[in-house]
Amino acid sequence: MIETGISGGVQHIRLNRPEKKNALTGDMYTAFAEALERGNAEGSGVRVHLVTGVPGAFTAGNDIGDFLAFASRGSMTDAPVARFLRALVACERPIVAAVDGLAIGVGTTMLLHCDMVLASPRSVFRTPFIDLGLVPEAGSSLLAPALMGHARAFELLCLGEAFDAEAACRAGLVNRIVAEEELEASAEAIAHKIAAKPQEALAISRRLLRGDRAALETRVEEEIAAFAARLVSPEASAAFKAFMERARPSG
Ligand code: COA
């Protein structure tokens, strides 16, 4: 469901659960987090991460069945998704993402942690947090307004409006729009170009561009706490049930 491989300093992380539009499960978050953490280690051979999905789906976001499971457990602090979000913030290597199709929920918010994002023209970026009775996560409540201004961040994160590839590009979420047939090859070429740069200079520069992580780390934890509280709310329960019933109509 998550495939990883390292070649020429590029760690390719592929989200691969096409039958569920790449909805992310706990096991997938754990594997994704491990891949990012591995990249930070000295001698890992990882200089850049390249994140891709499957044709038509980068990811449909968190698996809604897993949301229901969390809701019954009541805690998120040690959940695989929390580990993944912390790994994104702590990631020391540049991340290149290639988005083709659906980028829902964390599929959009994780892009705020990427350094280069390529998207196909048919890509759709949408964060239906409020409609699900939830709140924005992955530091998006801090990073999105800083990137695109409050008004557009509100439209994306609170109104839940879908951004197409052009709108995402204008908002600064996406660097380039590339035809789907060329998307992965273009993203790979960029990843290898980054991997070939002087690595110390690159690491220092990326750290300077990203700035002090403390505020982001604090915000991610605040969001995790708010998200966990919302998961057990009547608003969220009703939204999850509506989705599950829609997804699995009873005989
Ligand atoms: N969690 C769990 N299952 C999901 C899922 C998710 N986030 N997204 C898609 N799936 C499943 C569907 O239930 C369906 O499963 P089934 O074939 O067993 O019924 C399968 O993936 C295909 O999805 P489907 O809805 O038939 O495809 P579509 O092209 O009509 O719609 C979406 C795709 C992504 C628009 C729609 O599935 C959707 O709205 N998903 C929920 C997205 C979401 O709210 N994510 C959480 C964000 S915080």
Side-chain angles (χ1 to χ4, degrees):
M1 298 219 238
I2 294 262
E3 291 161 4
T4 61
I6 304 173
S7 166
V10 176
Q11 174 165 247
H12 192 156
I13 303 170
R14 181 183 300 284
L15 315 180
N16 192 11
R17 193 189 178 208
E19 71 285 3
K20 295 286 182 186
K21 308 276 175 184
N22 278 354
L24 293 163
T25 60
D27 286 349
M28 291 167 79
Y29 281 124
T30 299
F32 204 157
E34 280 171 359
L36 294 176
E37 289 162 4
R38 181 161 60 238
N40 291 348
E42 279 298 317
S44 67
V46 177
R47 294 173 162 217
V48 186
H49 302 286
L50 169 64
V51 183
T52 61
V54 296
F58 182 62
T59 165
N62 202 108
D63 187 289
I64 291 183
D66 274 20
F67 275 156
L68 280 166
F70 281 132
S72 60
R73 265 194 4 197
S75 167
M76 254 186 73
T77 328
D78 58 353
V81 62
R83 177 176 172 189
F84 167 68
L85 298 177
R86 293 180 189 121
L88 267 183
V89 176
C91 183
E92 294 286 352
R93 311 287 175 209
I95 308 175
V96 178
V99 177
D100 177 30
L102 297 167
I104 316 283
V106 72
T108 287
T109 57
M110 78 167 82
L111 301 175
L112 295 162
H113 299 265
C114 294
D115 300 281
M116 288 286 298
V117 179
L118 272 54
S120 67
R122 65 179 173 180
S123 297
V124 177
F125 304 81
R126 190 163 63 84
T127 59
F129 297 120
I130 310 296
D131 293 336
L132 290 170
L134 302 172
V135 293
E137 35 64 316
S140 59
S141 64
L142 186 70
L143 296 174
L147 177 70
M148 57 187 79
H150 174 83
R152 272 187 299 186
F154 186 89
E155 195 178 340
L156 180 71
L157 296 175
C158 294
L159 197 55
E161 288 290 277
F163 282 19
D164 62 14
E166 293 278 355
C169 219
R170 284 195 301 274
L173 194 61
V174 165
N175 293 81
R176 296 178 199 168
I177 301 175
V178 179
E180 45 260 29
E181 314 82 67
E182 293 155 30
L183 182 73
E184 277 204 26
S186 301
E188 260 176 50
I190 290 171
H192 283 285
K193 199 169 180 180
I194 297 170
K197 299 278 179 203
Q199 290 297 299
E200 282 177 19
L202 181 68
I204 297 165
S205 304
R206 182 175 185 268
R207 245 174 258 141
L208 286 167
L209 259 71
R210 295 223 156 243
D212 186 2
R213 276 186 193 148
L216 181 57
E217 287 166 350
T218 305
R219 182 61 64 91
V220 166
E221 297 305 325
E222 280 173 16
E223 290 171 347
I224 288 173
F227 203 98
R230 293 306 306 164
L231 278 176
V232 293
S233 68
E235 286 176 347
S237 302
F240 300 157
K241 279 196 194 110
F243 179 78
M244 297 311 280
E245 277 160 22
R246 181 202 79 123
R248 292 195 183 81
S250 56

